[in-house]
């Protein structure tokens, strides 16, 4: 029982600690809303030594509604990021390790910037919006 309780706390802790703009593995549902989101576009972004954000033409296409959320998985190596548009460095910014997944809400989709920590990393990104 004690082991199960410890495991439950470990699983719950990241979800509680995540800021409002980032929801741990809760892709497809807006925080505080009953709205269900559906995927409409995806991309893989190689993150290197120059800070990059999401591809605006993919996240916000000219036709149709733009993304309300991005579901992100980090692979190969860790990245650092700032959701407010501040440029991160290899040593400054929030860190997301390889294998981690999180979602980015609409208020940070246009501003967030990522940079690698040591070697190039790959972000797998799925963009979500309300069904039309």
């Amino acid at each position: 029982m004690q082991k199960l309780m410890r495991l439950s706390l470990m699983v719950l802790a990241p979800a509680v600690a995540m800021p409002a703009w980032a929801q741990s593995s809760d892709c497809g549902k807006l925080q505080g809303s009953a709205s269900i989101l559906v995927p409409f576009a995806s991309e893989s972004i190689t993150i290197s030594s120059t800070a990059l954000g999401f591809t605006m033409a993919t996240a916000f296409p000219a036709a149709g509604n733009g993304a309300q959320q991005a579901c992100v998985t980090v692979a190969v190596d860790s990245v650092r990021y700032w959701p407010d548009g501040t440029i991160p460095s290899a040593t400054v910014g929030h860190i997301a390790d390889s294998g981690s997944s999180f979602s980015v809400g609409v208020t940070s989709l246009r501003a967030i910037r990522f940079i690698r920590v040591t070697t190039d990393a790959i972000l797998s990104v799925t963009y979500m919006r309300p069904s039309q």
Side-chain angles (χ1 to χ4, degrees):
M1 179 70 172
Q2 189 176 17
K3 185 176 182 178
L4 179 60
M5 184 177 285
R6 239 181 292 136
L7 180 59
S8 297
L9 290 175
M10 287 173 37
V11 171
L12 292 176
V16 173
M18 297 292 281
W21 55 264
Q23 305 162 23
S24 177
S25 67
D26 197 18
C27 287
K29 185 158 191 318
L30 288 174
Q31 185 175 3
S33 170
S35 296
I36 300 298
L37 302 177
V38 296
F40 73 93
S42 60
E43 66 177 327
S44 291
I45 305 171
T46 299
I47 303 299
S48 193
S49 57
T50 300
L52 293 176
F54 298 129
T55 306
M56 290 298 102
T58 305
F60 300 98
N65 294 329
Q68 294 291 304
Q69 184 182 70
C71 301
V72 181
T73 300
V74 182
V76 182
D77 200 359
S78 300
V79 296
R80 288 199 179 262
Y81 62 92
W82 288 114
D84 63 358
T86 301
I87 304 300
S89 73
T91 58
V92 178
H94 300 285
I95 193 160
D97 292 325
S98 179
S100 64
S101 294
F102 56 94
S103 64
V104 178
V106 67
T107 57
S108 296
L109 284 172
R110 293 179 190 271
I112 196 166
R113 296 291 178 264
F114 301 89
I115 198 162
R116 72 182 188 191
V117 172
T118 52
T119 60
D120 288 2
I122 297 173
L123 301 183
S124 296
V125 184
T126 300
Y127 298 104
M128 312 288 283
R129 65 181 173 200
S131 59
Q132 297 179 354

